[in-house]
């Protein structure tokens, strides 16, 4: 299971962050993965990579600026407890193909659902215009200032999300969000509302967002989570997941900030080893100027 909180600014107040993101990747600790870095085959893209044999190169979260003039972000979350027929493709390439391609978020999502042979997923795509709002792409299509789409194949849907508000996504449908997504979104909203002001203390903002991602508070009982996860539901009901057998949990924490000048900071804390209590948490910090 994974969780994602995101805020895309609506431009109503000058000087605020254009994007604020906080996300946990939940996975088996022994599943091999690469920490966030520019991709060797396309350095414009930054993100972690799944290195599970047979699934190498997939990703759960990445950001880039292709084509020129766009900032594109993709995040993938599984939908737990959904049985899908005719599953023949892994979900790992979904984000990567979006970031490497030329299609807009809506065009890509429509194509994705038209060719659906994946397990159940929630795909969140974000597009930001890196230049003036009035500029058009070379192919004549207008670049949005900030477009957020939630796409799912369980059931098929493509929903636009409104900029200027805190959003939360998890491993269920948008119509029936998990309690930890609801309560976590409220905390995220409070942090963003208080800290997303000009000349804010960036380090304090990152610290508070990481604190949210480390929260062990269980939001239980949760009938929807119980329906989807059964006997494991209570252990999965916190933003920071730690299963009692010690083999699965929140192993990567990510915060991404893009300020009003399109300066990005990508901060990742990822577990090295298979024990979150005794293993080392490695911090990666990547900065980039998007244009």
């Amino acid at each position: 299971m994974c969780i994602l909180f995101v805020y895309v600014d609506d431009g109503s107040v000058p000087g605020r962050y254009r994007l604020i993101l906080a996300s946990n990747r939940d996975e088996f600790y022994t599943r091999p993965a690469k920490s966030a870095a520019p991709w060797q085959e396309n350095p414009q893209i930054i993100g972690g990579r799944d290195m599970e044999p047979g699934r190498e190169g997939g990703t759960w979260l990445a950001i880039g600026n292709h084509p020129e003039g766009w900032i594109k972000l993709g995040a993938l979350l599984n939908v737990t407890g959904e049985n899908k027929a005719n599953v023949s493709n892994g979900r790992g390439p979904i984000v990567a193909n979006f970031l490497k391609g030329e299609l807009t978020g809506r065009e890509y999502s429509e194509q994705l659902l038209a060719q659906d042979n994946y397990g159940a997923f929630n795909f969140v795509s974000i597009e930001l215009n890196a230049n003036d709002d009035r500029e058009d792409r070379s192919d004549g299509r207008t670049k949005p200032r900030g477009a957020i789409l939630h796409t799912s194949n369980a059931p098929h849907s493509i929903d636009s999300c409104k900029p200027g508000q805190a959003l939360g996504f998890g491993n269920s449908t948008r119509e029936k969000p998990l309690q930890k997504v609801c309560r976590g979104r409220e905390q995220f909203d409070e942090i963003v509302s208080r800290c997303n002001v000009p000349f804010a203390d960036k380090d304090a903002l990152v610290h508070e967002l990481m604190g949210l991602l480390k929260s062990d508070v269980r939001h239980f009982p949760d009938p929807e989570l119980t329906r989807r996860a059964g006997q494991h539901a209570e252990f999965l009901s916190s933003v920071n997941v730690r299963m009692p057998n010690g083999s699965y949990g929140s192993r990567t924490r990510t915060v991404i900030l893009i300020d009003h000048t399109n300066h990005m900071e990508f901060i990742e804390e990822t577990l090295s080893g298979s024990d979150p209590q005794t293993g080392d948490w490695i911090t990666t910090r990547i900065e980039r100027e998007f244009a």
Side-chain angles (χ1 to χ4, degrees), residues 8-26:
V8 175
D9 191 56
D10 60 6
S12 59
V13 177
R16 295 192 300 197
Y17 283 102
R18 297 195 67 191
L19 180 136
I20 300 174
L21 177 146
S23 175
N24 272 348
R25 181 198 183 207
D26 301 341

Side-chain angles (χ1 to χ4, degrees), residues 15 34 44 113 129 142 287:
K34 289 183 178 180
Q44 291 179 294
L113 295 185
N129 181 355
T142 300
E287 299 189 39

